[in-house]
Amino acid sequence: MQTGSLGSTIFEVSSSKVLTPKSVGFSREASFEDHQVQGSYPRPEFLAPGLASVSLAITLRADLGVDPWAEAEALEEKMIAGEVLRLVIAGQNLGKFTIRKIDQSWRHCLRGHAGPLILDLGIELKEYW
């Protein structure tokens, strides 16, 4: 069952493969300029809405039908190329995003195995207009 996607990376759960975010964080800020007023509080001026940021925590596990190394490399290539990716979570189209940062934590690296058996990813996305 497909639970979402980030570009061509499909988040899914089935009897043969599990590739889903453990958690999804969403934030947005607005841009304001604070104008100084002599003898009084500053006066804020709204300038524009800010771009949304999304954080994804994903655990890639070889024992759950995923090649952790290949999946992590594919996401990193998308980041390096500056690809604009559509993000869909639980049927909700959240819009277009770029990958800004990927953190990796490797677990259970075995000799003779190409890459780790378990790889934790922290992915930071920024909305693209």
Side-chain angles (χ1 to χ4, degrees):
M1 165 189 266
Q2 183 174 338
T3 62
S5 61
L6 177 60
S8 61
T9 300
I10 306 297
F11 303 135
E12 63 180 291
V13 177
S14 70
S15 60
S16 61
K17 184 177 182 181
V18 175
L19 173 55
T20 59
K22 291 190 300 187
S23 65
V24 178
F26 186 88
S27 67
R28 182 185 301 273
E29 295 181 4
S31 296
F32 283 85
E33 180 71 34
D34 291 329
H35 299 284
Q36 300 301 317
V37 177
Q38 185 173 356
S40 185
Y41 291 104
R43 303 281 192 233
E45 176 188 5
F46 175 74
L47 299 176
L51 296 174
S53 296
V54 173
S55 60
L56 302 173
I58 300 173
T59 298
L60 305 170
R61 296 180 56 119
D63 61 336
L64 295 178
V66 176
D67 181 345
W69 188 254
E71 291 289 344
E73 277 192 334
L75 288 167
E76 189 169 332
E77 287 172 8
K78 291 173 185 177
M79 178 183 68
I80 290 169
E83 286 187 38
V84 178
L85 309 166
R86 184 155 307 278
L87 178 63
V88 178
I89 301 288
Q92 296 295 314
N93 179 357
L94 299 178
K96 296 178 182 177
F97 289 82
T98 55
I99 301 173
R100 298 295 180 100
K101 182 179 178 183
I102 298 176
D103 292 319
Q104 294 185 19
S105 177
W106 297 9
R107 293 189 279 156
H108 305 295
C109 298
L110 299 178
R111 185 176 167 187
H113 187 270
L117 296 176
I118 300 174
L119 200 153
D120 294 312
L121 291 178
I123 302 172
E124 294 180 18
L125 308 171
K126 187 69 104 171
E127 189 174 25
Y128 182 86
W129 277 88

